[in-house]
Short mmCIF file of all heavy atoms in Angstrom, two decimals:
data_model
loop_
_atom_site.label_atom_id
_atom_site.label_comp_id
_atom_site.label_asym_id
_atom_site.label_seq_id
_atom_site.Cartn_x
_atom_site.Cartn_y
_atom_site.Cartn_z
N MET A 1 37.37 3.41 111.74
CA MET A 1 36.51 2.88 112.79
C MET A 1 36.01 4.03 113.67
O MET A 1 36.78 4.92 114.03
CB MET A 1 37.27 1.85 113.61
CG MET A 1 36.48 1.34 114.80
SD MET A 1 37.27 -0.03 115.62
CE MET A 1 36.17 -1.30 115.09
N ALA A 2 34.76 4.00 114.02
CA ALA A 2 34.16 5.05 114.86
C ALA A 2 34.68 4.94 116.29
O ALA A 2 34.86 3.85 116.82
CB ALA A 2 32.64 4.92 114.84
N ARG A 3 34.89 6.09 116.90
CA ARG A 3 35.29 6.15 118.32
C ARG A 3 34.06 6.59 119.10
O ARG A 3 33.69 7.76 119.07
CB ARG A 3 36.44 7.11 118.50
CG ARG A 3 37.72 6.61 117.84
CD ARG A 3 38.83 7.59 117.93
NE ARG A 3 39.22 7.76 119.33
CZ ARG A 3 40.24 8.47 119.73
NH1 ARG A 3 40.99 9.09 118.83
NH2 ARG A 3 40.53 8.59 121.00
N TRP A 4 33.43 5.65 119.79
CA TRP A 4 32.21 5.91 120.55
C TRP A 4 32.57 6.45 121.91
O TRP A 4 33.53 6.02 122.54
CB TRP A 4 31.39 4.62 120.69
CG TRP A 4 30.86 4.18 119.36
CD1 TRP A 4 31.43 3.28 118.51
CD2 TRP A 4 29.67 4.63 118.73
NE1 TRP A 4 30.67 3.15 117.39
CE2 TRP A 4 29.58 3.97 117.50
CE3 TRP A 4 28.67 5.54 119.08
CZ2 TRP A 4 28.52 4.18 116.62
CZ3 TRP A 4 27.62 5.75 118.20
CH2 TRP A 4 27.55 5.08 116.99
N ARG A 5 31.79 7.42 122.38
CA ARG A 5 31.98 7.98 123.73
C ARG A 5 30.61 8.16 124.38
O ARG A 5 29.62 8.39 123.70
CB ARG A 5 32.75 9.29 123.67
CG ARG A 5 32.05 10.39 122.92
CD ARG A 5 32.99 11.55 122.62
NE ARG A 5 32.31 12.62 121.93
CZ ARG A 5 32.03 12.65 120.64
NH1 ARG A 5 32.38 11.65 119.87
NH2 ARG A 5 31.40 13.67 120.11
N LYS A 6 30.62 8.05 125.68
CA LYS A 6 29.38 8.20 126.44
C LYS A 6 28.92 9.65 126.36
O LYS A 6 29.69 10.57 126.58
CB LYS A 6 29.60 7.80 127.90
CG LYS A 6 28.34 7.78 128.72
CD LYS A 6 28.62 7.26 130.12
CE LYS A 6 27.38 7.29 130.96
NZ LYS A 6 27.62 6.79 132.30
N SER A 7 27.66 9.83 126.04
CA SER A 7 27.10 11.17 125.94
C SER A 7 26.95 11.79 127.31
O SER A 7 26.66 11.12 128.29
CB SER A 7 25.72 11.08 125.29
OG SER A 7 25.03 12.31 125.39
N SER A 8 27.12 13.11 127.38
CA SER A 8 26.90 13.81 128.64
C SER A 8 25.43 13.78 129.04
O SER A 8 25.08 14.08 130.17
CB SER A 8 27.39 15.26 128.52
OG SER A 8 26.65 15.95 127.52
N TYR A 9 24.56 13.38 128.11
CA TYR A 9 23.13 13.26 128.42
C TYR A 9 22.76 11.90 129.00
O TYR A 9 21.62 11.67 129.33
CB TYR A 9 22.28 13.54 127.17
CG TYR A 9 22.21 15.01 126.88
CD1 TYR A 9 23.11 15.60 126.00
CD2 TYR A 9 21.29 15.82 127.52
CE1 TYR A 9 23.07 16.95 125.76
CE2 TYR A 9 21.24 17.18 127.28
CZ TYR A 9 22.13 17.73 126.39
OH TYR A 9 22.09 19.06 126.17
N SER A 10 23.72 10.99 129.07
CA SER A 10 23.45 9.71 129.71
C SER A 10 23.18 9.97 131.17
O SER A 10 23.91 10.71 131.82
CB SER A 10 24.64 8.76 129.56
OG SER A 10 24.79 8.42 128.21
N GLY A 11 22.12 9.37 131.69
CA GLY A 11 21.69 9.74 133.02
C GLY A 11 21.84 8.66 134.06
O GLY A 11 22.10 7.51 133.77
N GLY A 12 21.64 9.09 135.27
CA GLY A 12 21.64 8.19 136.40
C GLY A 12 20.24 7.95 136.90
O GLY A 12 20.03 7.24 137.86
N GLY A 13 19.25 8.51 136.25
CA GLY A 13 17.86 8.35 136.69
C GLY A 13 17.20 7.15 136.06
O GLY A 13 17.66 6.62 135.06
N GLY A 14 16.14 6.68 136.67
CA GLY A 14 15.38 5.56 136.13
C GLY A 14 16.26 4.35 135.89
O GLY A 14 17.46 4.40 135.93
N SER A 15 15.70 3.24 135.62
CA SER A 15 16.40 2.00 135.26
C SER A 15 17.66 1.74 136.07
O SER A 15 18.61 1.17 135.58
CB SER A 15 16.75 2.00 133.77
OG SER A 15 15.62 2.13 132.98
N GLY A 16 17.70 2.22 137.29
CA GLY A 16 18.87 1.97 138.13
C GLY A 16 20.14 2.60 137.62
O GLY A 16 21.23 2.10 137.84
N GLY A 17 20.01 3.71 136.88
CA GLY A 17 21.19 4.38 136.36
C GLY A 17 21.80 3.68 135.17
O GLY A 17 22.96 3.88 134.83
N GLN A 18 21.03 2.83 134.52
CA GLN A 18 21.56 2.05 133.41
C GLN A 18 21.38 2.70 132.04
O GLN A 18 21.71 2.11 131.04
CB GLN A 18 20.90 0.66 133.40
CG GLN A 18 21.19 -0.14 134.64
CD GLN A 18 22.67 -0.41 134.82
OE1 GLN A 18 23.37 -0.78 133.89
NE2 GLN A 18 23.17 -0.19 136.03
N GLU A 19 20.84 3.91 132.00
CA GLU A 19 20.65 4.56 130.71
C GLU A 19 21.98 5.07 130.22
O GLU A 19 22.67 5.80 130.93
CB GLU A 19 19.67 5.73 130.83
CG GLU A 19 18.31 5.29 131.27
CD GLU A 19 17.71 6.25 132.28
OE1 GLU A 19 18.37 7.22 132.64
OE2 GLU A 19 16.59 5.99 132.69
N CYS A 20 22.36 4.70 129.03
CA CYS A 20 23.63 5.17 128.49
C CYS A 20 23.52 5.30 126.99
O CYS A 20 23.28 4.33 126.28
CB CYS A 20 24.76 4.21 128.84
SG CYS A 20 26.37 4.87 128.38
N VAL A 21 23.71 6.51 126.54
CA VAL A 21 23.73 6.80 125.12
C VAL A 21 25.15 7.13 124.74
O VAL A 21 25.83 7.87 125.43
CB VAL A 21 22.80 8.00 124.79
CG1 VAL A 21 22.90 8.38 123.33
CG2 VAL A 21 21.37 7.67 125.17
N GLU A 22 25.60 6.56 123.63
CA GLU A 22 26.94 6.84 123.14
C GLU A 22 26.83 7.58 121.81
O GLU A 22 25.89 7.36 121.05
CB GLU A 22 27.73 5.55 122.94
CG GLU A 22 28.03 4.83 124.23
CD GLU A 22 28.77 3.53 124.01
OE1 GLU A 22 28.46 2.81 123.04
OE2 GLU A 22 29.65 3.23 124.81
N VAL A 23 27.79 8.43 121.55
CA VAL A 23 27.83 9.16 120.29
C VAL A 23 29.22 9.00 119.66
O VAL A 23 30.20 8.71 120.35
CB VAL A 23 27.53 10.67 120.49
CG1 VAL A 23 26.11 10.87 120.97
CG2 VAL A 23 28.50 11.32 121.45
N ALA A 24 29.26 9.15 118.34
CA ALA A 24 30.51 9.07 117.60
C ALA A 24 30.45 10.01 116.42
O ALA A 24 29.40 10.19 115.80
CB ALA A 24 30.76 7.65 117.11
N ASP A 25 31.57 10.64 116.12
CA ASP A 25 31.68 11.45 114.92
C ASP A 25 31.91 10.51 113.74
O ASP A 25 32.90 9.76 113.73
CB ASP A 25 32.84 12.44 115.03
CG ASP A 25 32.60 13.49 116.12
OD1 ASP A 25 31.44 13.94 116.25
OD2 ASP A 25 33.55 13.84 116.82
N LEU A 26 30.99 10.51 112.80
CA LEU A 26 31.10 9.70 111.60
C LEU A 26 31.36 10.63 110.42
O LEU A 26 31.24 11.85 110.55
CB LEU A 26 29.80 8.91 111.38
CG LEU A 26 29.31 8.07 112.56
CD1 LEU A 26 27.96 7.45 112.25
CD2 LEU A 26 30.32 7.00 112.93
N ILE A 27 31.67 10.09 109.30
CA ILE A 27 31.86 10.92 108.10
C ILE A 27 30.51 11.52 107.73
O ILE A 27 29.55 10.80 107.47
CB ILE A 27 32.42 10.09 106.94
CG1 ILE A 27 33.79 9.55 107.31
CG2 ILE A 27 32.47 10.92 105.66
CD1 ILE A 27 34.37 8.57 106.33
N ASP A 28 30.40 12.84 107.78
CA ASP A 28 29.18 13.58 107.43
C ASP A 28 27.97 13.25 108.30
O ASP A 28 26.83 13.47 107.88
CB ASP A 28 28.80 13.36 105.96
CG ASP A 28 29.84 13.90 105.01
OD1 ASP A 28 30.45 14.93 105.35
OD2 ASP A 28 30.07 13.29 103.95
N ALA A 29 28.17 12.68 109.49
CA ALA A 29 27.04 12.33 110.36
C ALA A 29 27.53 12.20 111.80
O ALA A 29 28.73 12.14 112.07
CB ALA A 29 26.39 11.03 109.92
N VAL A 30 26.56 12.13 112.70
CA VAL A 30 26.83 11.85 114.11
C VAL A 30 26.10 10.56 114.43
O VAL A 30 24.89 10.44 114.19
CB VAL A 30 26.32 13.00 115.02
CG1 VAL A 30 26.55 12.66 116.48
CG2 VAL A 30 27.00 14.31 114.66
N GLY A 31 26.82 9.58 114.93
CA GLY A 31 26.22 8.30 115.30
C GLY A 31 25.71 8.34 116.73
O GLY A 31 26.34 8.94 117.60
N VAL A 32 24.55 7.72 116.96
CA VAL A 32 23.95 7.65 118.29
C VAL A 32 23.52 6.20 118.51
O VAL A 32 22.87 5.60 117.64
CB VAL A 32 22.71 8.58 118.40
CG1 VAL A 32 22.10 8.49 119.79
CG2 VAL A 32 23.06 10.01 118.05
N ARG A 33 23.90 5.62 119.65
CA ARG A 33 23.51 4.24 119.94
C ARG A 33 23.31 4.02 121.43
O ARG A 33 23.79 4.78 122.26
CB ARG A 33 24.54 3.25 119.41
CG ARG A 33 25.83 3.21 120.19
CD ARG A 33 26.80 2.21 119.63
NE ARG A 33 28.02 2.13 120.44
CZ ARG A 33 29.06 1.41 120.14
NH1 ARG A 33 29.06 0.70 119.02
NH2 ARG A 33 30.11 1.37 120.93
N ASP A 34 22.63 2.94 121.74
CA ASP A 34 22.42 2.50 123.12
C ASP A 34 23.62 1.63 123.48
O ASP A 34 23.85 0.60 122.85
CB ASP A 34 21.13 1.70 123.21
CG ASP A 34 20.81 1.16 124.59
OD1 ASP A 34 21.70 1.14 125.46
OD2 ASP A 34 19.67 0.73 124.80
N SER A 35 24.38 2.03 124.48
CA SER A 35 25.59 1.27 124.81
C SER A 35 25.28 -0.13 125.32
O SER A 35 26.11 -1.02 125.22
CB SER A 35 26.44 2.02 125.84
OG SER A 35 25.76 2.12 127.06
N ARG A 36 24.08 -0.32 125.88
CA ARG A 36 23.72 -1.66 126.37
C ARG A 36 23.30 -2.58 125.24
O ARG A 36 23.17 -3.78 125.44
CB ARG A 36 22.61 -1.57 127.40
CG ARG A 36 23.05 -0.84 128.66
CD ARG A 36 22.01 -0.89 129.75
NE ARG A 36 20.70 -0.49 129.26
CZ ARG A 36 19.55 -0.76 129.84
NH1 ARG A 36 19.54 -1.42 130.98
NH2 ARG A 36 18.41 -0.35 129.34
N ALA A 37 23.06 -2.02 124.05
CA ALA A 37 22.66 -2.83 122.90
C ALA A 37 23.41 -2.36 121.66
O ALA A 37 22.84 -2.17 120.60
CB ALA A 37 21.15 -2.74 122.70
N SER A 38 24.72 -2.19 121.81
CA SER A 38 25.50 -1.65 120.70
C SER A 38 25.46 -2.55 119.46
O SER A 38 25.59 -2.06 118.34
CB SER A 38 26.94 -1.40 121.13
OG SER A 38 27.54 -2.60 121.57
N GLU A 39 25.25 -3.83 119.66
CA GLU A 39 25.18 -4.76 118.53
C GLU A 39 23.91 -4.54 117.69
O GLU A 39 23.82 -5.02 116.56
CB GLU A 39 25.24 -6.22 119.01
CG GLU A 39 24.01 -6.70 119.77
CD GLU A 39 23.89 -6.17 121.20
OE1 GLU A 39 24.85 -5.62 121.76
OE2 GLU A 39 22.80 -6.34 121.77
N ALA A 40 22.96 -3.79 118.22
CA ALA A 40 21.71 -3.52 117.50
C ALA A 40 21.88 -2.42 116.46
O ALA A 40 20.96 -2.14 115.71
CB ALA A 40 20.61 -3.13 118.49
N GLY A 41 23.05 -1.80 116.41
CA GLY A 41 23.30 -0.77 115.42
C GLY A 41 23.19 0.63 116.01
O GLY A 41 23.16 0.80 117.22
N HIS A 42 23.11 1.61 115.13
CA HIS A 42 23.08 3.00 115.57
C HIS A 42 22.27 3.83 114.60
O HIS A 42 21.99 3.41 113.48
CB HIS A 42 24.50 3.55 115.69
CG HIS A 42 25.23 3.65 114.38
ND1 HIS A 42 25.93 2.60 113.85
CD2 HIS A 42 25.33 4.66 113.48
CE1 HIS A 42 26.45 2.97 112.69
NE2 HIS A 42 26.10 4.21 112.43
N LEU A 43 21.90 5.01 115.06
CA LEU A 43 21.28 6.00 114.20
C LEU A 43 22.39 6.91 113.68
O LEU A 43 23.31 7.23 114.42
CB LEU A 43 20.28 6.87 114.98
CG LEU A 43 19.09 6.17 115.61
CD1 LEU A 43 18.30 7.16 116.46
CD2 LEU A 43 18.20 5.59 114.52
N ALA A 44 22.27 7.32 112.43
CA ALA A 44 23.20 8.29 111.87
C ALA A 44 22.41 9.56 111.57
O ALA A 44 21.51 9.55 110.74
CB ALA A 44 23.85 7.74 110.60
N LEU A 45 22.72 10.61 112.30
CA LEU A 45 22.03 11.88 112.15
C LEU A 45 22.94 12.90 111.48
O LEU A 45 24.14 12.91 111.74
CB LEU A 45 21.61 12.42 113.51
CG LEU A 45 20.74 11.51 114.38
CD1 LEU A 45 20.58 12.12 115.76
CD2 LEU A 45 19.39 11.29 113.72
N SER A 46 22.35 13.75 110.66
CA SER A 46 23.14 14.85 110.11
C SER A 46 23.56 15.75 111.27
O SER A 46 22.91 15.77 112.31
CB SER A 46 22.32 15.65 109.10
OG SER A 46 21.31 16.38 109.78
N PRO A 47 24.65 16.48 111.10
CA PRO A 47 25.04 17.40 112.18
C PRO A 47 23.91 18.37 112.56
O PRO A 47 23.72 18.66 113.74
CB PRO A 47 26.26 18.13 111.61
CG PRO A 47 26.86 17.13 110.67
CD PRO A 47 25.67 16.44 110.05
N ALA A 48 23.15 18.84 111.58
CA ALA A 48 22.04 19.75 111.88
C ALA A 48 20.95 19.05 112.69
O ALA A 48 20.40 19.62 113.63
CB ALA A 48 21.45 20.31 110.59
N ALA A 49 20.63 17.82 112.33
CA ALA A 49 19.60 17.07 113.07
C ALA A 49 20.07 16.77 114.49
O ALA A 49 19.29 16.82 115.44
CB ALA A 49 19.25 15.77 112.34
N PHE A 50 21.36 16.45 114.65
CA PHE A 50 21.90 16.19 115.98
C PHE A 50 21.85 17.46 116.83
O PHE A 50 21.48 17.40 118.01
CB PHE A 50 23.33 15.66 115.88
CG PHE A 50 23.90 15.24 117.21
CD1 PHE A 50 23.42 14.12 117.87
CD2 PHE A 50 24.92 15.97 117.80
CE1 PHE A 50 23.95 13.73 119.09
CE2 PHE A 50 25.45 15.59 119.02
CZ PHE A 50 24.96 14.46 119.67
N ALA A 51 22.19 18.60 116.24
CA ALA A 51 22.12 19.87 116.97
C ALA A 51 20.69 20.16 117.41
O ALA A 51 20.46 20.61 118.54
CB ALA A 51 22.65 21.00 116.10
N GLU A 52 19.70 19.86 116.56
CA GLU A 52 18.31 20.08 116.93
C GLU A 52 17.89 19.11 118.04
O GLU A 52 17.15 19.49 118.95
CB GLU A 52 17.39 19.92 115.72
CG GLU A 52 15.93 20.12 116.03
CD GLU A 52 15.60 21.46 116.71
OE1 GLU A 52 16.24 22.47 116.39
OE2 GLU A 52 14.72 21.47 117.59
N LEU A 53 18.36 17.87 117.99
CA LEU A 53 18.07 16.92 119.06
C LEU A 53 18.60 17.44 120.39
O LEU A 53 17.89 17.44 121.40
CB LEU A 53 18.70 15.56 118.75
CG LEU A 53 18.64 14.50 119.84
CD1 LEU A 53 17.19 14.12 120.16
CD2 LEU A 53 19.46 13.29 119.47
N LEU A 54 19.83 17.92 120.41
CA LEU A 54 20.40 18.47 121.65
C LEU A 54 19.62 19.69 122.13
O LEU A 54 19.35 19.83 123.33
CB LEU A 54 21.86 18.83 121.45
CG LEU A 54 22.82 17.68 121.22
CD1 LEU A 54 24.25 18.20 121.06
CD2 LEU A 54 22.75 16.65 122.33
N ALA A 55 19.24 20.57 121.21
CA ALA A 55 18.46 21.75 121.58
C ALA A 55 17.13 21.33 122.17
O ALA A 55 16.66 21.92 123.17
CB ALA A 55 18.25 22.65 120.36
N SER A 56 16.50 20.32 121.60
CA SER A 56 15.23 19.83 122.12
C SER A 56 15.39 19.25 123.52
O SER A 56 14.55 19.50 124.41
CB SER A 56 14.66 18.77 121.18
OG SER A 56 13.49 18.20 121.69
N LEU A 57 16.45 18.50 123.74
CA LEU A 57 16.71 17.95 125.08
C LEU A 57 16.93 19.04 126.09
O LEU A 57 16.43 18.97 127.22
CB LEU A 57 17.93 17.01 125.03
CG LEU A 57 17.74 15.71 124.28
CD1 LEU A 57 19.08 15.01 124.10
CD2 LEU A 57 16.74 14.81 124.96
N LYS A 58 17.65 20.08 125.71
CA LYS A 58 17.90 21.19 126.61
C LYS A 58 16.60 21.93 126.94
O LYS A 58 16.38 22.33 128.08
CB LYS A 58 18.92 22.15 126.02
CG LYS A 58 20.32 21.58 126.01
CD LYS A 58 21.30 22.52 125.35
CE LYS A 58 22.67 21.88 125.28
NZ LYS A 58 23.64 22.75 124.61
N ARG A 59 15.73 22.09 125.93
CA ARG A 59 14.43 22.74 126.19
C ARG A 59 13.62 21.90 127.16
O ARG A 59 12.99 22.43 128.07
CB ARG A 59 13.66 22.94 124.89
CG ARG A 59 14.15 24.09 124.06
CD ARG A 59 13.20 24.40 122.92
NE ARG A 59 12.95 23.29 122.00
CZ ARG A 59 13.67 23.00 120.92
NH1 ARG A 59 14.71 23.75 120.61
NH2 ARG A 59 13.36 21.98 120.16
N ASP A 60 13.61 20.58 126.96
CA ASP A 60 12.85 19.69 127.86
C ASP A 60 13.38 19.75 129.28
O ASP A 60 12.62 19.67 130.23
CB ASP A 60 12.88 18.25 127.34
CG ASP A 60 12.02 18.05 126.11
OD1 ASP A 60 11.22 18.94 125.78
OD2 ASP A 60 12.17 17.00 125.46
N GLU A 61 14.69 19.85 129.45
CA GLU A 61 15.30 19.92 130.78
C GLU A 61 14.86 21.18 131.52
O GLU A 61 14.69 21.17 132.72
CB GLU A 61 16.83 19.94 130.68
CG GLU A 61 17.46 18.60 130.57
CD GLU A 61 18.97 18.70 130.59
OE1 GLU A 61 19.54 19.82 130.58
OE2 GLU A 61 19.61 17.64 130.59
N SER A 62 14.69 22.26 130.78
CA SER A 62 14.35 23.53 131.43
C SER A 62 12.87 23.74 131.59
O SER A 62 12.44 24.69 132.23
CB SER A 62 14.96 24.70 130.64
OG SER A 62 14.39 24.77 129.36
N SER A 63 12.05 22.83 131.05
CA SER A 63 10.60 22.94 131.20
C SER A 63 10.17 22.47 132.58
O SER A 63 10.74 21.52 133.11
CB SER A 63 9.88 22.08 130.15
OG SER A 63 10.15 22.58 128.87
N PRO A 64 9.15 23.15 133.14
CA PRO A 64 8.68 22.73 134.48
C PRO A 64 7.98 21.39 134.46
O PRO A 64 7.52 20.88 133.54
CB PRO A 64 7.70 23.82 134.88
CG PRO A 64 7.49 24.69 133.70
CD PRO A 64 8.48 24.30 132.65
#
């Protein structure tokens, strides 16, 4: 069974602080889901794709 944890990228901005992304280490993948709609399923990203997603988020954070 996957152990889901709140992502450090979950924010307090917009939507009254209700944005919450959870991640889980899956076999050969990283799971990503919306904690408010966990019953809707999740995305399974390769470790490389997940690393690129994080790098992209970090670039966006540092952009003016």
Side-chain angles (χ1 to χ4, degrees):
M1 175 172 252
R3 293 176 66 174
W4 293 94
R5 63 193 181 280
K6 186 175 177 180
S7 169
S8 62
Y9 283 93
S10 293
S15 301
Q18 298 299 314
E19 298 139 358
C20 187
V21 175
E22 294 178 321
V23 295
D25 294 321
L26 307 175
I27 297 172
D28 296 326
V30 177
V32 180
R33 73 180 183 185
D34 179 345
S35 66
R36 295 187 310 161
S38 60
E39 70 285 347
H42 66 274
L43 298 174
L45 304 172
S46 70
F50 185 70
E52 180 54 36
L53 173 63
L54 293 181
S56 176
L57 291 169
K58 288 177 184 179
R59 283 191 302 271
D60 287 348
E61 276 185 354
S62 64
S63 295

